[in-house]
């Protein structure tokens, strides 16, 4: 039987305590990155569907309602849709933008800092251009 070294007791707890903040930060960054990618992917899909809708229904189509329905899981107050037709190039462009706030941000609470500092909002923009028939 091996005799335990008394000086090494608690070493695993110390290593765990040193690595825990690093691992927690990595997990937080992975979750935030996945959420940001999901948001941008939803915006790209909404801009494509909006452009298809204009092609099918014409310029009078209610693209904003369709975009809002496609990205129903996002905050509609931070979402904006812009439809532009270019008669010279005979194209339609649908641009969807969203103000994305990082995890830990304290929106609407004055000048207080969130988890990552003051400047915590990113604007994601997805744009789709399609030729008109």
């Amino acid at each position: 039987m091996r005799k335990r070294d008394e000086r090494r007791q608690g070493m695993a707890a110390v290593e765990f305590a040193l690595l825990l903040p690093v691992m927690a930060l990595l997990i937080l960054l992975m979750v935030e990155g996945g959420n940001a990618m999901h948001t941008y992917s939803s915006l790209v899909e909404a801009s494509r569907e909006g452009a298809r809708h204009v092609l099918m229904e014409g310029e009078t189509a209610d693209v904003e309602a369709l975009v809002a329905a496609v990205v129903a899981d996002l905050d509609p107050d931070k979402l904006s849709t812009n439809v532009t037709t270019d008669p010279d190039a005979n194209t339609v462009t649908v641009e969807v933008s969203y103000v994305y706030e990082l995890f830990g941000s304290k929106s609407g609470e004055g000048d207080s800092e969130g988890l990552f500092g003051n400047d915590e909002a990113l604007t994601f923009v997805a744009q789709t251009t399609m030729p008109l028939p």
Side-chain angles (χ1 to χ4, degrees):
M1 215 155 78
R2 291 166 96 184
K3 185 177 178 187
R4 289 188 169 222
D5 188 5
E6 295 294 326
R7 294 175 296 163
R8 299 200 67 194
Q9 279 188 340
M11 195 67 147
V14 170
E15 290 173 357
F16 178 73
L18 290 174
L19 287 178
L20 183 64
V22 174
M23 295 302 290
L25 181 63
L26 286 175
I27 291 172
L28 176 70
L29 289 174
M30 286 177 38
V31 169
E32 186 67 40
N35 192 25
M37 287 175 56
H38 170 68
T39 300
Y40 183 71
S41 177
S42 297
L43 292 178
V44 169
E45 182 64 25
S47 71
R48 287 179 185 158
E49 289 298 323
R52 285 186 197 118
H53 189 64
V54 170
L55 290 176
M56 300 298 281
E57 302 294 327
E59 294 180 32
T60 60
D62 188 13
V63 176
E64 291 179 7
L66 175 69
V67 167
V70 171
V71 292
D73 57 335
L74 300 179
D75 185 6
D77 295 333
K78 299 175 185 174
L79 184 70
S80 66
T81 304
N82 186 18
V83 179
T84 308
T85 54
D86 186 2
D88 296 332
N90 200 25
T91 59
V92 61
T93 301
V94 176
E95 181 179 283
V96 180
S97 62
Y98 182 74
V99 178
Y100 179 80
E101 291 184 3
L102 297 174
F103 175 78
S105 64
K106 299 178 180 180
S107 61
E109 295 185 17
D111 292 334
S112 63
E113 287 191 20
L115 188 62
F116 298 110
N118 281 334
D119 192 18
E120 296 176 353
L122 302 172
T123 302
F124 291 155
V125 179
Q127 179 177 333
T128 301
T129 301
M130 290 188 175
L132 290 171

